[in-house]
Amino acid sequence: MTKLENPVLMATIGAAQGLRGEVRARAFTSDPTALGDYGHLHSLDGRTFEVLEIREAKNVVIVRFRGVNDRNAAEALNGLELYIERDNLPDDELEDDEFFYADLEGLEAVDDKGTGYGTVSGIYDFGAGDLLELKGPGKRPVLIPFSEAAVLEIDLEGGKILIDPMAAGLVDNPDDFPGKPPKRSGKTKK
């Protein structure tokens, strides 16, 4: 049983493929067939999986793991998420302005005045572009676009991302920034 300190999601297992224990998997790597290049994969319940064979299919990869030898064993894995330890990702291959999405989680989102909007708690892609989920104390989670207009700067060492609250959709009007008192309409009640 292995407990990961800083897990990074690498794949989700889908349906069984054939009779020999192969499974269909959705890989979250730039090269789906490189899924086994990061070492053993782990589930959050502590199981470890070694990739023996991998090949591409239409939108998924077909994977055979050590110890999964028949269709029944493969079907039992359906829906399982597989992770690696963050330290197994190759930082030396990254350019200066590149990073892994996993490195964004936990960064504080602030504007140019230092106003905090929460911390990055997840990165999602629902098909129309990447979104960052921000969670703040006592606030509901919000999704902002992960675009150059909304996210102006990423400071991994400083633990912050600089955002434009208007471009991120967090405020509708520059006068609506947090901490500003609401404008009065000038009308008085009678």
Side-chain angles (χ1 to χ4, degrees), residues 72-177:
N72 290 339
E75 287 174 346
L77 300 177
N78 192 355
L80 189 67
E81 294 180 330
L82 299 176
Y83 298 82
I84 63 167
E85 187 63 54
R86 166 60 183 94
D87 294 341
N88 290 358
L89 293 175
D91 287 335
D92 54 339
E93 295 177 12
L94 294 176
E95 300 291 327
D96 289 339
D97 61 343
E98 288 184 316
F99 50 86
F100 292 109
Y101 278 0
D103 295 338
L104 296 178
E105 292 187 29
L107 297 182
E108 183 183 1
V110 296
D111 64 15
D112 58 352
K113 294 174 182 63
T115 305
Y117 292 86
T119 58
V120 178
S121 58
I123 297 97
Y124 303 101
D125 181 4
F126 299 114
D130 294 332
L131 298 170
L132 298 179
E133 180 183 56
L134 302 180
K135 285 186 182 176
K139 298 178 185 176
R140 296 179 72 182
V142 295
L143 295 174
I144 66 168
F146 187 36
S147 64
E148 288 183 11
V151 179
L152 305 174
E153 185 179 317
I154 299 169
D155 181 6
L156 293 175
E157 287 153 12
K160 295 182 180 188
I161 60 171
L162 179 65
I163 63 169
D164 178 343
M166 282 193 62
L170 296 173
V171 295
D172 294 330
N173 183 333
D175 295 330
D176 293 341
F177 283 95

Side-chain angles (χ1 to χ4, degrees), residues 28-50:
F28 303 112
T29 56
S30 58
D31 175 11
T33 60
L35 187 61
D37 295 350
Y38 300 98
H40 288 45
L41 301 166
H42 307 274
S43 63
L44 291 181
D45 63 8
R47 293 182 283 171
T48 301
F49 296 86
E50 180 184 351

